Amino acid sequence: MPIKLGIIGYGGMGMWHHKNAPKVKGVDVVAAYDIDAYQVDVAKKAGLRGYHKLDEFLKDEEINTVLIATPNDVHKDLAVASANAGKNIIVEKPVAMSMKEIDEIIEAAEKNNVVFTVHQNRRWDKDFNKVKKAVELGMIGDVYTIESRVHGAGGLIYGWRNKKECGGGMLLDWGVHLIDQILYMIPNKVVRVYAELFSVLNKDVDDYFKLLMKFDNGLSAQIEVGTFCLKPLPRWFVGGNKGTLVVDDFEGHGEIVKLNKLADKFDAEIVETTAGPTRTFAPRPEEVKDHFELPDVNSEWIEFYANVRDTIEGKAELIVKPDEVKKVYSIIEAAFKSNQLGKAVEL
């Protein structure tokens, strides 16, 4: 069954889906609904049937799948209404404002026998998949730490993303992506969460945060997002007991560094630094280090819609599953709680 997609919320992300979803065979965008009359006119000029009223949009019999790309605080009501109208549901992240709301969406989807998933598109990012493949292949041995960060220099957050009541802020905007990537890569259970949220330039929402997840196998994962970082750190830093992996940017530029057999021939020496003598942190000679390219990956964002199409046709199972969405949100809720309490939260 081809996807006949109707978009709720024809803003920036809605238009992005309209442009990109049809790149997948069997996916057509046919209609859009928005509370803003101007955006409805924009949708019509783009060749879609435009609706000013939700009930009329949901009565459109050609639409079999709805994409919800609105402010976060109305996701749940729109998703439940779409499920009750017999439409499959794709919701932009974060899926809702609480675990209770997510459960309501899942219940409505199951009751109406429709597919429900969330647009966690960054599972297909090139940088992430290079890290994931390297970790899975054991290219740096047993991993003990993962640092995932996004640093921007713009500072200010615009539109509804700068409104707390709409579900704004960086933890819900970018944090949900980076948490999802870590949980998708590491199969172990998170047992502890610690987070600190800051409002550096945007007083109403978090525009910088640090989040630490401790897994039951001892691995520690740190996520950091900041909108006002004028000299960004690498996108990824991963430490293993046989090497170090660094990815610099979204394009996946970086390397793996490991020690070679020559390392055994060099005894540690005490080195004088401006901060005093050190043996532990004396630099290793370059000749004892080998540099390796990151593994090749072949992942494309359009696989998301291909998977949704195949799931609707009964040929596949969802890649972004509702129970995985709940696990991500449980970390988000723990992060908010940790920040409020000023201490780690046990899960």
Side-chain angles (χ1 to χ4, degrees):
M1 177 192 298
I3 290 179
K4 298 295 183 178
L5 191 66
I7 297 173
I8 297 180
Y10 199 70
M13 281 307 300
M15 287 187 274
W16 186 89
H17 281 277
H18 183 193
K19 176 182 177 181
N20 289 284
K23 293 178 180 179
V24 178
K25 183 179 179 180
V27 180
D28 296 313
V29 182
V30 297
Y33 157 69
D34 201 294
I35 60 173
D36 187 335
Y38 174 80
Q39 295 305 130
V40 176
D41 289 339
V42 172
K44 289 179 178 178
K45 290 177 181 177
L48 302 180
R49 292 192 294 279
Y51 289 94
H52 297 274
K53 295 181 178 181
L54 179 62
D55 59 345
E56 294 179 357
F57 170 86
L58 293 177
K59 288 178 182 176
D60 188 322
E61 294 184 358
E62 186 181 16
I63 299 171
N64 59 24
T65 305
V66 168
L67 179 281
I68 299 171
T70 63
N72 303 327
D73 57 316
V74 294
H75 282 182
K76 187 267 292 184
D77 288 342
L78 293 168
V80 170
S82 298
N84 289 337
K87 314 294 186 184
N88 301 301
I89 319 157
I90 302 169
V91 184
E92 265 297 339
K93 56 77 205 170
V95 58
M97 298 284 282
S98 68
M99 292 287 280
K100 180 177 181 296
E101 288 191 351
I102 299 174
D103 285 336
E104 289 183 46
I105 298 173
I106 293 173
E107 181 181 356
E110 291 177 347
K111 176 183 175 182
N112 292 282
N113 195 30
V114 297
V115 172
F116 159 55
T117 190
V118 177
H119 185 232
Q120 290 286 5
N121 57 303
R122 295 201 172 275
R123 291 192 184 188
W124 287 269
D125 282 3
K126 188 174 185 178
D127 60 288
F128 164 66
N129 278 284
K130 286 191 172 189
V131 174
K132 183 173 183 287
K133 187 173 182 179
V135 169
E136 291 174 347
L137 291 175
M139 296 180 71
I140 56 172
D142 296 330
V143 173
Y144 60 90
T145 186
I146 299 174
E147 296 179 15
S148 169
R149 59 175 56 85
V150 174
H151 284 168
L156 297 179
I157 303 173
Y158 298 96
W160 62 263
R161 289 178 175 82
N162 197 20
K163 298 179 180 179
K164 185 176 181 180
E165 64 272 20
C166 293
M170 286 298 102
L171 181 56
L172 286 173
D173 190 32
W174 271 88
V176 66
H177 276 312
L178 305 191
I179 294 168
D180 181 71
Q181 287 181 334
I182 296 291
L183 296 189
Y184 192 52
M185 175 167 48
I186 306 299
N188 295 79
K189 175 179 169 53
V190 178
V191 295
R192 188 181 309 117
V193 173
Y194 176 77
E196 294 181 352
L197 281 65
F198 299 82
S199 298
V200 180
L201 299 182
N202 302 268
K203 62 183 179 64
D204 295 326
V205 296
D206 63 288
D207 52 16
Y208 175 90
F209 74 84
K210 281 186 177 180
L211 186 156
L212 189 68
M213 293 184 286
K214 188 72 172 182
F215 288 81
D216 62 3
N217 65 342
L219 187 151
S220 175
Q222 177 178 305
I223 291 172
E224 181 184 31
V225 174
T227 64
F228 192 62
C229 303
L230 303 184
K231 190 168 179 61
L233 293 174
R235 171 71 183 87
W236 294 89
F237 174 89
V238 185
N241 64 354
K242 293 183 180 179
T244 298
L245 179 153
V246 174
V247 177
D248 296 319
D249 48 38
F250 288 124
E251 296 301 317
H253 299 118
E255 64 175 350
I256 291 172
V257 182
K258 304 173 77 170
L259 295 179
N260 57 42
K261 293 181 180 179
L262 288 176
D264 297 333
K265 299 181 180 181
F266 286 83
D267 293 329
E269 297 180 0
I270 296 176
V271 175
E272 288 288 340
T273 73
T274 55
T278 179
R279 187 189 328 232
T280 302
F281 295 101
R284 296 269 195 168
E286 277 303 312
E287 57 263 36
V288 310
K289 292 185 286 186
D290 289 333
H291 298 257
F292 301 90
E293 292 185 357
L294 296 166
D296 289 330
V297 294
N298 184 21
S299 62
E300 296 185 57
W301 167 87
I302 61 173
E303 293 176 27
F304 172 82
Y305 269 106
N307 173 251
V308 174
R309 176 202 62 203
D310 292 345
T311 300
I312 291 172
E313 294 178 350
K315 299 177 181 178
E317 65 175 30
L318 285 173
I319 292 176
V320 183
K321 301 175 178 63
D323 66 316
E324 295 172 341
V325 172
K326 290 185 65 174
K327 288 179 182 177
V328 170
Y329 209 90
S330 71
I331 303 298
I332 290 174
E333 288 195 335
F336 279 125
K337 184 177 180 181
S338 171
N339 180 69
Q340 183 181 24
L341 296 175
K343 62 180 183 180
V345 172
E346 305 289 334
L347 298 181

